[in-house]
Amino acid sequence: MTVVRLLDVTRVHGEVHALRGVSLEVSCGELVAVMGPSGSGKSTLLNLAGGLDRPTSGSVTIEGRDLAAVKDLAALRRRSVGYVFQDLNLIPSLTAAENVMLPRELDGVRAGPAREQARAVLEEVGAGQAADRFPGQLSGGQRQRVAIARALVGERRLLLADEPTGALDTATGDEILRLLRERCDAGAAVLLVTHEPRYAAWADRVVYLRDGRVADATAVRLESAR
Ligand code: ADP
Ligand code: MG
């Protein structure tokens, strides 16, 4: 089943053509790595795929719904899409558990169950001890796990991760990839932006962007690096 489909999508900012006609589908159970030089449109692609930005032309469909026709895009995003941003975007005045439960509460889940779900997913990503700490009290690796937990909570079908391994050491980076891969194997669709061939090796497909276009796509599953 296709979770996200981009059809001939362009995105223009004034004079800048960030994307110039990209088509891409990601299915349940598929992890697609997006690679390419800085400025090639990787983050733009992710933002469009998750409905955080709207295309200048072309269409984006999530779980069969054309985003152009969706009235409450925020609600669809909260239910279906989990993001891990480059800069994490954790709220410093909330504990790790509160950060993770926030999207559930915004979606109408009551505080008790939302907190239980948050703790369970924090445990799952190996950040159970961080639950009652604030982001500022955590190491970079722990903060990253909390951000991943926030993206996973609520069983979202589409996970978008923009260089989630950022400045992490390779052991923590591998752990993050293992978590994304597990969710994928459990049925999620994952789009992962990465510069590192080491992490792209966990993907089922690699899409290379150059100047806002798909320059190359390989469908080889590179088992050797796992
Ligand atoms: P990448 O993530 O591959 O580094 P981006 O998707 O961030 O690339 O950006 C692609 C191109 O679009 C770049 O030239 C960038 O400067 C431009 N761009 C992205 N967002 C905006 C924006 N909001 N306004 C103007 N230009 C933008
Ligand atoms: Mg980027």
Side-chain angles (χ1 to χ4, degrees), residues 39 42-44 86 162-163 193:
K42 304 182 297 296
S43 295
T44 302
Q86 231 156 350
D162 198 342
E163 300 187 51
V193 171

Side-chain angles (χ1 to χ4, degrees), residues 11 13-14 16-19 36-45 86 162-163 193 209:
R11 181 65 170 103
H13 297 284
V16 181
H17 290 255
L19 284 183
S38 178
S40 58
K42 304 182 297 296
S43 295
T44 302
L45 175 69
Q86 231 156 350
D162 198 342
E163 300 187 51
V193 171
L209 289 185

Side-chain angles (χ1 to χ4, degrees), residues 52-128:
L52 280 179
D53 187 15
R54 291 192 181 270
T56 306
S57 66
S59 70
V60 179
T61 310
I62 296 178
E63 297 190 299
R65 299 176 69 192
D66 185 338
L67 298 192
V70 170
K71 289 222 175 60
D72 193 350
L73 202 50
L76 179 137
R77 282 200 308 255
R78 279 198 306 273
R79 273 171 216 152
S80 300
V81 188
Y83 301 86
V84 186
F85 297 96
Q86 231 156 350
D87 56 2
L88 303 187
N89 285 346
L90 292 175
I91 299 172
S93 58
L94 298 182
T95 65
E98 288 164 349
N99 266 282
V100 175
M101 63 194 276
L102 186 61
R104 302 304 290 143
E105 289 191 285
L106 288 173
D107 217 18
V109 177
R110 289 171 52 190
R115 185 173 295 276
E116 275 171 34
Q117 289 173 20
R119 285 184 184 275
V121 73
L122 281 166
E123 285 292 338
E124 188 187 328
V125 303

